[in-house]
């Protein structure tokens, strides 16, 4: 057997470990990717995944199928933009575009975050990876004019993008015992 005939999952140590992990461990890892229990159970039920694309496709389908309460649960697991969860390297990494923002822009983002949450009933959710503070500011300002229905669909799309990035990281990086947060 040549090295080119190895299975795609075996070429991705994190995916191989995820596929082989005990159900409780795998579920905990998934809940770190997305706070929705329904999403995590759906992804867990489809294991093993032959490759990352299958895992990502399953995630896309699970996000699309989330009911209102499940989507709310998923969004509730995300800290506001500009205020990553203390001690959480994942949210800090994902929101690093806000880290060096001027104080005035950070204050405006806080104000907009509060107005957004008042209007829509949840945190402003955006896939913030690689976005600048200015881009995040423009995005929240633009989305404030959306209807709740339109915003819910945008949030669903952003959640899907976030989950994809986190799952891709989980698939590539080996998962160690007791580790959380891909």
């Amino acid at each position: 057997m040549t090295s080119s005939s190895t299975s795609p999952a075996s070429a991705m140590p994190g995916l191989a470990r995820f596929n082989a992990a005990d159900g409780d461990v795998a579920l905990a890892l998934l809940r770190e990717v997305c706070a929705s229990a329904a999403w995590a159970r759906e992804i867990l039920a489809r294991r093993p995944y032959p490759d990352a694309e299958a895992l990502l496709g399953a995630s896309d389908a699970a996000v699309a199928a989330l009911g209102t309460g499940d989507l709310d649960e998923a969004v509730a697991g995300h800290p506001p933009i500009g205020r990553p969860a203390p001690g959480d390297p994942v949210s800090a990494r994902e929101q690093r575009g806000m880290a060096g923002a001027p104080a005035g822009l950070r204050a405006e983002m806080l104000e907009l975050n509060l107005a957004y949450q008042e209007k829509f009933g949840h945190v402003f959710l955006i896939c913030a990876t690689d976005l600048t503070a200015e881009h995040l500011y423009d995005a929240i300002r633009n989305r404030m004019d959306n209807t709740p229905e339109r915003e819910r669909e945008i949030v669903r799309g952003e959640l899907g993008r976030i989950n994809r990035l986190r799952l891709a990281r989980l698939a590539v990086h080996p998962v160690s015992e007791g580790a959380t947060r891909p």
Side-chain angles (χ1 to χ4, degrees):
M1 188 182 282
T2 66
S3 62
S4 63
S5 65
T6 59
S7 73
S10 66
M12 303 189 89
L15 182 59
R17 291 282 305 263
F18 171 72
N19 280 335
D22 171 82
D24 290 339
V25 171
L27 185 61
L29 287 167
L30 290 171
R31 292 299 299 271
E32 292 293 335
V33 169
C34 180
S36 167
W39 177 88
R41 284 190 307 267
E42 182 64 23
I43 302 305
L44 188 62
R46 295 182 182 201
R47 281 191 317 163
Y49 292 94
D51 54 39
E53 280 308 309
L55 176 61
L56 298 178
S59 176
D60 293 343
V63 167
L66 290 177
T68 300
D70 299 321
L71 186 57
D72 290 344
E73 180 182 31
V75 172
H78 291 269
I81 294 294
R83 291 183 284 157
D88 181 356
V90 173
S91 65
R93 180 181 65 239
E94 291 173 347
Q95 294 191 29
R96 72 177 164 256
M98 285 299 298
L105 181 56
R106 284 195 313 270
E108 287 182 55
M109 279 299 290
L110 175 60
E111 233 177 82
L112 284 168
N113 271 317
L114 293 172
Y116 179 97
Q117 194 159 354
E118 178 71 25
K119 179 175 181 177
F120 296 109
H122 55 80
V123 298
F124 171 67
L125 188 69
I126 187 169
C127 184
T129 300
D130 297 331
L131 298 181
T132 65
E134 292 78 11
H135 185 111
L136 294 166
Y137 175 78
D138 290 343
I140 194 170
R141 283 189 59 224
N142 290 335
R143 286 173 49 188
M144 286 295 293
D145 293 332
N146 287 337
T147 64
E149 297 79 18
R150 173 72 180 127
E151 189 58 22
R152 185 158 284 297
E153 288 313 304
I154 291 171
V155 164
R156 185 182 301 276
E158 294 296 323
L159 177 66
R161 291 178 60 211
I162 293 165
N163 288 1
R164 278 181 145 264
L165 286 171
R166 290 178 176 182
L167 284 172
R169 187 170 172 83
L170 180 132
V172 171
H173 297 289
V175 177
S176 59
E177 284 303 312
T180 60
R181 302 303 296 227

